Amino acid sequence: MLWLLLGSRRTGTGSSLRAPVAVAAATSPLRAVLTTEWQLGESSEAGVSVQRLYDLIQPPDEDAFFDEIDALEEEGWLTIRNGRGDDDDLLFPAVEDGSLPAPEPAGRAAAATAASIFAGTAEQARLAAEAAAATAAAAVTAAAAESASPPAVPFDLERHGEYDYAAEAAAVEAVVAVLTRLKCAGMDAADEKEIAALDAACARLEQVTALSPAPSLREDPRLEGAWEQVGCTSADFNTRKGLTGLGGAPFTSPAALFYCYDGGAVCAKEVLRLFGRPVLLNELRGEYGFSPDGALMQERFGDADLGGQRSSKEFAGATATTRHVCITADGAVRVAKVDAAVGVGAGGYLVYKRLAAGEMEAWLESKRLPLVGGTVPTLSMEEMREAYPYLGEGEGAGGDGFA
């Protein structure tokens, strides 16, 4: 069985802060550019001048550019050494042990992205934004306390200096604009009218990021962690109404699809609605790897909880192959391609958003779904505690107590 899944401006004497708007925060390349400058050059000691940062990014809104620098200073992500004027100010990484931060997907950008492109109801968007904001604040505190720095992203120095980050940000914003209009990540019948627009926006992003200084997906540590699929233009995938095909059953529809990557292991969680309520979680477990050039990623699933059955005997395994397009400079969005040119499908794009630590779990808990494994009707007490750690003794998934 083969599945082809596919303000105000700074002055020389102080700061005036204003939170950047959601879309700008979600697509801003400022963090990634600064991190790369600090990591690849000698700028961690000499600092990065505001003028150089401005020249690299070429922001369309100058006030928003200075506002974001102020916000990052208040957040504790960078420090500013004032010069004779705004353009002479120097920016340094705000770490005590001399290590350098990596682009932070669990920070401000991820929280804003969660609120702006979460494919679901207003309640889901609110829950996602609250969870992301809480974890983002915790991540900032934890990062300051840790002695080891986050994994560095090995950006290419030569390409970094020539890359058009502003064009990438504009292309990502166009993708996000379409995502906000989708009812269910492109898999609902109501989403069909937006597929062409999403496909065009993703194609533009692919074109813009062709010369990105980011490493291949195989070498990019930002892949690790949890992602939610929020957009899809693959006809094969949309016909199945999700990952397993069960979303197309009578009275059933897809609700959410999550992927978790951890050191070569992959776990996919497909949540389905039954009579409009998200009550069924199918979980597929396996491993992932890459082609020698790092352009193709393959996921092989060998075990699955499907249709209420733990490690279903009817599941014979599945393989998913996609071509990597990009992880955006801020680490908030990932795009993959179902590439007909290499024989892995009829074409189309898959769009994922980065989830902050604990965000997926918070959403599953809000729906009374298991955090570990799929939805299974009978579980031992030990299995219940592992799958539903947020429930108290005597309280089960359906309120009937542990089995």
Side-chain angles (χ1 to χ4, degrees), residues 165-256:
Y165 286 97
E168 179 189 301
V172 175
E173 188 171 337
V175 172
V176 171
V178 182
L179 295 177
T180 59
R181 302 196 296 267
L182 299 180
K183 182 177 180 180
C184 187
M187 294 180 287
D188 191 274
D191 295 336
E192 291 182 6
K193 62 182 182 296
E194 301 292 349
I195 296 300
L198 180 58
D199 199 76
C202 289
R204 172 57 180 164
L205 180 59
E206 181 180 15
Q207 180 184 32
V208 168
T209 57
L211 296 177
S212 170
S216 68
L217 190 62
R218 181 181 57 187
E219 306 297 333
D220 198 330
R222 296 175 298 172
L223 174 65
E224 297 282 300
W227 298 82
E228 180 184 1
Q229 185 173 310
V230 292
C232 176
T233 68
S234 165
D236 293 341
F237 202 97
N238 290 341
T239 298
R240 286 199 307 272
K241 301 299 180 186
L243 181 62
T244 63
L246 297 177
F251 312 111
T252 308
S253 62

Side-chain angles (χ1 to χ4, degrees), residues 60-78:
D61 187 332
E62 184 171 312
D63 286 339
F65 170 76
F66 281 95
D67 287 344
E68 187 172 2
I69 292 176
D70 287 338
L72 291 177
E73 181 189 27
E74 183 181 71
E75 182 183 302
W77 194 81
L78 60 76

Side-chain angles (χ1 to χ4, degrees), residues 268-282:
K269 294 176 180 287
E270 177 187 61
V271 180
L272 302 178
R273 292 188 179 93
L274 186 60
F275 296 103
R277 295 182 57 212
V279 296
L280 178 63
L281 190 156
N282 297 315

Side-chain angles (χ1 to χ4, degrees), residues 40-64:
L40 299 181
E42 298 178 354
S43 300
S44 58
E45 297 179 1
V48 176
S49 71
V50 171
Q51 182 62 57
R52 173 165 175 75
L53 186 62
Y54 188 95
D55 291 341
L56 285 170
I57 297 177
Q58 299 181 4
D61 187 332
E62 184 171 312
D63 286 339

